[in-house]
Amino acid sequence: MVAAQRGDGALLVNGRVAGYYNTVSASYGFQAGVQKFGYAMFFMNDASLNYLRKSRGWEVGTAPSLVVVDEGIAKSLSTTTLRKGIYVFFFDQRGLMGGLGVQGTKITKYEPSE
């Protein structure tokens, strides 16, 4: 099965908005269902934040997940989360979904329209 996801977010540095980003992902593997979720990426030092900029936002990895109504678990193992100083936490999962697939993600900086 093939799946896609999209989302928008803000990069906070020292408690202030340093930019707005959107993510677009596609995955392929054993997966079925529909889910909604949020996630936060924590860049623990300047080197990890610079990795986002140097990689031009590209990420490849795997993302197993299981969601039943409003309870779920998800993990991310990717070219970004394997680096020291970058942590990802999933939250607010809803839907009915199960899967394990290979995923590619593009994180792009954008200027929001007012």
Side-chain angles (χ1 to χ4, degrees):
M1 299 280 295
V2 176
Q5 64 187 30
R6 183 191 177 292
D8 296 317
L11 173 65
L12 301 177
V13 176
N14 297 323
R16 305 191 87 178
V17 175
Y20 294 93
Y21 290 81
N22 66 35
T23 61
V24 177
S25 299
S27 62
Y28 178 79
F30 299 106
Q31 51 199 356
V34 175
Q35 71 174 325
K36 180 179 179 179
F37 65 92
Y39 73 93
M41 295 179 74
F42 293 89
F43 300 91
M44 305 307 289
N45 52 47
D46 289 337
S48 63
L49 185 54
N50 286 336
Y51 174 76
L52 173 67
R53 295 178 180 123
K54 288 191 303 184
S55 69
R56 296 186 181 148
W58 287 104
E59 173 183 75
V60 176
T62 181
S65 64
L66 176 63
V67 179
V68 178
V69 187
D70 62 353
E71 296 292 326
I73 58 171
K75 299 291 182 196
S76 178
L77 181 62
S78 70
T79 54
T80 299
T81 61
L82 285 174
R83 298 189 56 81
K84 288 185 178 181
I86 302 175
Y87 301 95
V88 177
F89 296 94
F90 291 86
F91 59 89
D92 200 24
Q93 295 173 285
R94 293 184 211 137
L96 182 59
M97 178 75 182
L100 174 61
V102 176
Q103 178 173 302
T105 301
K106 175 67 169 127
I107 303 170
T108 306
K109 188 172 184 177
Y110 75 96
E111 295 296 325
S113 57
E114 307 263 343

